[in-house]
Amino acid sequence: MLRQSALRSVPGSLLLRSPSSFPLFSSQARPINCLSLLRVSSSSSQRAAASLRNSSSGTTNTMGLKLIPAKNLHVSTPTWWLESRFHFSFAEYYNPQNTEFGVLRVLNDDLVKPRAGFGTHSHRDMEIFTYIIDGKLTHKDSIGTAETLGRGSVQYMSAGRGISHSEMNNGNEMLRFLQIWIKPKKSGLQPNYGSRIFDEKERHNQLQHVLTSFDKYESSKDLGEGVIPIHQDCNIYVSELDPGVEQEFILAKNRQAYLVCIEGSLSINDNTHLMARDATEITAEKDLDFHLKFTATEDTPAHFLMIEMALA
C-alpha cells in the first residue's frame, strides 16, 4: 500500500506537495541491446553546462523555470513509419550539453504509423515508463507479457539484468506515446514488467500521481494497482485541464522537475507559457519550496506530464 502523501484541495484548484542511441525497428528487426547505442556523459561540468544554456540556444529562464521550445527538440532521421522528438541525447543525436536532467535520462515523443513499430529489442539497468497519448500500443516481452493499451494507459519495465520486448502499432490509427527512461538506484535488479489502465476522470482537472519510488511503498512488490513503483526517488504526475482551470503544486526544496506540455497550451506561474510539445525545467532552491501554479489557457485545454525528482 502507498503511504499517504500530503494532499489537500483548495478552491478552484489542487494543491500537491512533492516528496522530501536507439535504432529504428520494423516488425522484422532482430533483438539488439539499446543501451549500447546510448552515449552518456558523466562529467559534472557537462551537466552544469546543460543547466546554464542561455537564450542563444532558444531557451528562456524565468526564476527557476527554463522553457525548452518544441522547435529545439531533435527530430529523428526520417523513416516511412516513425518520427521521434528527442529531449535528450539519443540514437543519432548526441549533444554533450544535453545528456540528462537529474535521474531522467531519456524522454522521446514517438509517432508510429499503422502496422509498424519497434520490433524485439533489449534493455538493461533502466526504469522505462511509456505513456500512451493516441492510438493503441501492443507490447510483448521475454517474460511472457502481451497486451494492447490505449490513451492514458501506462506500461513500465524495470529492465534490470535484461529484458527484451517489442512495441507495435497493430491498429489503423497513428500511435503517439512518450517513452521515459529513468536511471535506477542500482544495477542488476530483477526484471519486471507491468501496466496500468487509468481512467480519464482520474487526471481530469487534477494532478494524477502515476509513478513513485518503492521507498514510498509498504510492500517490496508492485501491487498491480494504483501508483506505479520504480527503483528510484522519482514521481510522475499527469493532468488534463479544461480551459481556464488552475492547479497548484509545491515543489519541495532541493527538488527539481521536468514538465512536458503534451497537448494544448499551459501557463506556469503566469510567466512561462508552453505550447504543445514544449518542455520546462523547474528547479527549487536548496532551502526553499517552489510554489507552482499551472493554468490552461482560456480557450484551449492543457494535457501535461511532470517528472519530479531530487535536485541533481
Side-chain angles (χ1 to χ4, degrees), residues 4-25:
Q4 198 77 1
S5 59
L7 169 65
R8 65 182 179 87
S9 297
V10 296
S13 65
L14 186 72
L15 180 64
L16 285 172
R17 184 178 182 88
S18 64
S20 286
S21 169
F22 202 156
L24 308 182
F25 294 100

Side-chain angles (χ1 to χ4, degrees), residues 55-69:
S55 58
S56 65
S57 66
T59 60
T60 302
N61 291 276
T62 307
M63 299 293 289
L65 297 167
K66 184 170 71 173
L67 177 65
I68 302 167

Side-chain angles (χ1 to χ4, degrees), residues 30-50:
R30 59 187 175 85
I32 188 168
N33 189 326
C34 303
L35 290 182
S36 65
L37 297 178
L38 281 172
R39 298 177 62 189
V40 184
S41 169
S42 60
S43 166
S44 59
S45 61
Q46 289 174 343
R47 290 197 297 269

Side-chain angles (χ1 to χ4, degrees), residues 24 26-28 77-83 112-117:
L24 308 182
S26 70
S27 57
Q28 287 77 39
T77 302
T79 73
W80 71 266
W81 64 276
L82 174 69
E83 180 179 280
V112 180
K113 289 186 177 180
R115 307 300 173 183

Side-chain angles (χ1 to χ4, degrees), residues 79-152:
T79 73
W80 71 266
W81 64 276
L82 174 69
E83 180 179 280
S84 296
R85 288 168 173 80
F86 303 148
H87 286 250
F88 305 99
S89 293
F90 196 82
E92 77 275 4
Y93 167 58
Y94 177 64
N95 179 351
Q97 295 185 343
N98 188 32
T99 60
E100 58 193 27
F101 181 75
V103 296
L104 175 60
R105 175 58 191 89
V106 167
L107 199 161
N108 295 345
D109 189 334
D110 293 332
L111 284 172
V112 180
K113 289 186 177 180
R115 307 300 173 183
F118 299 90
T120 303
H121 57 283
S122 301
H123 300 275
R124 64 178 299 163
D125 293 327
M126 197 67 69
E127 304 291 288
I128 299 174
F129 176 93
T130 303
Y131 181 70
I132 296 95
I133 302 165
D134 292 313
K136 301 284 187 179
L137 182 148
T138 297
H139 163 97
K140 291 184 180 180
D141 61 43
S142 56
I143 59 175
T145 310
E147 63 179 339
T148 299
L149 300 168
R151 181 178 174 90

